[in-house]
């Protein structure tokens, strides 16, 4: 199975029964690649804070992962 979208809108890659909004599955190492070709901004993961009041942003530079409240958009 390459891609599944169930009736609830859950998306599965490698599974026909995604249990969450987005689920990746493989029998080997599961790798998610987030890439950018920008020379001034790399990849950024934006996550809504658990209290719903703001966002946290995860970035990396030279193997160091940083979490901040400063938008990386």
């Amino acid at each position: 199975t390459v891609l599944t979208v169930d009736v609830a809108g859950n998306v599965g890659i490698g599974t026909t029964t995604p249990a969450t909004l987005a689920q990746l599955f493989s029998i080997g190492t599961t790798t998610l690649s987030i890439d950018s070709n920008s020379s001034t901004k790399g990849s950024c993961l934006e996550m809504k804070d658990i209290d719903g009041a703001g966002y946290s942003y995860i970035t990396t530079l030279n193997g160091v992962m940083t979490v901040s409240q400063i938008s990386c958009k």
Side-chain angles (χ1 to χ4, degrees):
T1 301
V2 178
L3 177 70
T4 300
V5 180
D6 69 12
V7 294
N10 293 340
V11 176
I13 298 175
T15 178
T16 58
T17 55
T20 58
L21 183 59
Q23 182 175 359
L24 304 175
F25 177 81
S26 71
I27 59 172
T29 301
T30 302
T31 302
L32 174 63
S33 178
I34 302 173
D35 204 347
S36 170
N37 66 357
S38 171
S39 62
T40 58
K41 294 214 179 226
S43 300
C44 174
L45 181 60
E46 178 185 67
M47 299 178 66
K48 189 160 194 167
D49 292 336
I50 197 167
D51 63 2
Y55 290 87
S56 294
Y57 303 91
I58 301 171
T59 58
T60 61
L61 178 62
N62 299 323
V64 177
M65 185 176 287
T66 304
V67 179
S68 73
Q69 292 179 316
I70 300 169
S71 175
C72 49
K73 291 181 179 181

